[in-house]
Amino acid sequence: MVGSWERENLFLLINTRYENNLTTIITTNYNMQELFELFGERIMSRIAEMTKPVGMKGAENYRIRLAQAV
């Protein structure tokens, strides 16, 4: 759950980068719909306009591999 303080600070960060046309790299395990549900239209409309999604399907979770090796 994302609180109002977190959401407002994320908006300020994203909006500043959006208005100044700054490069922004965002990594997440969530898809766009899940992010929209977490952060809402105000943040996601800017993220959607300023980013190009790159999928990483099939990437191995190294943490699980390391845990199984022990």
Side-chain angles (χ1 to χ4, degrees), residues 38-50:
L38 280 171
F39 301 121
E41 184 176 354
R42 185 174 164 206
I43 292 171
M44 289 310 297
S45 66
R46 285 162 179 79
I47 289 176
E49 186 175 333
M50 64 191 277

Side-chain angles (χ1 to χ4, degrees):
M1 184 70 176
V2 178
S4 60
W5 184 88
E6 292 91 350
R7 189 175 285 123
E8 184 59 30
N9 281 291
L10 180 59
F11 173 78
L12 292 173
L13 175 71
I14 294 296
N15 193 55
T16 298
R17 300 191 67 77
Y18 173 81
E19 288 178 346
N20 292 290
N21 200 29
L22 297 172
T23 300
T24 305
I25 298 173
I26 300 169
T27 63
T28 181
N29 292 334
Y30 293 109
N31 63 38
M32 290 297 275
Q33 180 60 39
E34 292 167 329
L35 291 171
F36 189 92
E37 291 169 8
L38 280 171
F39 301 121
E41 184 176 354
R42 185 174 164 206
I43 292 171
M44 289 310 297
S45 66
R46 285 162 179 79
I47 289 176
E49 186 175 333
M50 64 191 277
T51 61
K52 181 193 305 185
V54 176
M56 302 292 289
K57 293 183 187 258
E60 183 182 348
N61 188 332
Y62 71 91
R63 292 178 190 93
I64 293 173
R65 183 173 37 87
L66 290 174
Q68 291 171 344
V70 174

